[in-house]
Amino acid sequence: PAIDATTGRTCSACAAGFLGNGDVCIKKPTSSLSASLTAISTALPYVQVGETITLDVTVYVPQHLLYNMSVVFYLPSSYQALFAQNIAFSIPSQGSISSGLAYATATSARTNNSAVQDTYTLTFQGLYNPNFSPMTSADSFVIELTYTVANNAYVVTGTTLNSSVVVVHPVYGNTTLNQSTMQVTEPTLTLSKRSSSPTSSPQLGT
């Protein structure tokens, strides 16, 4: 018979909610891998050429060691041109995640699908969350990705910038986050003319 590692009681088989090999039953983690996406800009949903866009992804990590998790950013682009430039990422908050975040690797690629998108993938080989209490914000970390709206002939007023994120894991599967949509608009331009202590009659305009 197996010994329940949580209660110490003898059991003939591991009960539902437990993992075991016939010798020891271990309680399964009660949480799962999840994430949320927040897009931050100065005037959502409208942005301007040259403006820096920030995408914040909050990832909740189950209470154990998590291997081979990837976070894939699908950034705005078209067949003709890239819409996102100067891509960078940081991890401003790591909660109780005690290891693995410093070893994230980043790769960029062009995905030739019906919408042609640029992908920016962060891969985490191993993340460890030692917290076995009910899942709270301490069980999460934040990925902050920034990019600049490109200045080229294909990014004009009315251009739509769609960004989305997929968290990929071989056991927990894929989690697709809500798409962030922004639109390029012209900057507000203010013209003013001033004459100060003129020596002769000013001539403004033509």
Side-chain angles (χ1 to χ4, degrees):
I3 305 299
D4 187 321
T6 301
T7 64
R9 293 179 298 181
T10 300
C11 55
S12 58
C14 293
F18 288 82
L19 298 172
N21 60 5
D23 295 320
V24 177
C25 297
I26 301 174
K27 188 173 178 61
K28 292 181 180 179
T30 56
S31 57
S32 60
L33 182 67
S34 63
S36 62
L37 168 66
T38 303
I40 303 172
S41 176
T42 56
L44 285 175
Y46 299 104
V47 296
Q48 298 168 6
V49 168
E51 184 172 350
T52 297
I53 307 302
T54 302
L55 301 175
D56 275 1
V57 176
T58 303
V59 181
Y60 287 84
V61 178
Q63 293 102 350
H64 53 71
L65 189 60
L66 190 70
Y67 285 106
N68 299 322
M69 185 193 76
S70 296
V71 179
V72 184
F73 291 83
Y74 292 88
L75 299 178
S77 63
S78 70
Y79 283 105
Q80 297 88 355
L82 308 178
F83 293 172
Q85 295 180 336
N86 305 320
I87 304 168
F89 83 95
S90 63
I91 299 176
S93 173
Q94 68 178 54
S96 62
I97 314 305
S98 60
S99 64
L101 294 178
Y103 301 101
T105 57
T107 56
S108 298
R110 191 118 161 106
T111 303
N112 293 316
N113 55 26
S114 59
V116 179
Q117 289 181 299
D118 296 299
T119 61
Y120 188 84
T121 303
L122 298 177
T123 302
F124 300 87
Q125 297 299 329
L127 298 173
Y128 179 59
N129 180 8
N131 184 9
F132 278 88
S133 62
M135 182 167 281
T136 67
S137 59
D139 300 304
S140 66
F141 69 96
V142 175
I143 301 170
E144 188 171 275
L145 182 136
T146 60
Y147 70 86
T148 303
V149 180
N151 183 6
N152 59 49
Y154 299 95
V155 182
V156 297
T157 299
T159 299
T160 300
L161 306 180
N162 292 321
S163 302
S164 60
V165 179
V166 179
V167 179
V168 180
H169 190 266
V171 175
Y172 289 101
N174 297 354
T175 301
T176 302
L177 308 183
N178 293 333
Q179 179 172 274
S180 170
T181 300
M182 291 166 275
Q183 190 176 77
V184 176
T185 184
E186 292 181 353
T188 301
L189 181 63
T190 302
L191 298 177
S192 64
K193 297 179 179 181
R194 182 179 63 182
S195 176
S196 178
S197 301
T199 57
S200 61
S201 299
Q203 296 181 0
L204 305 179
T206 57

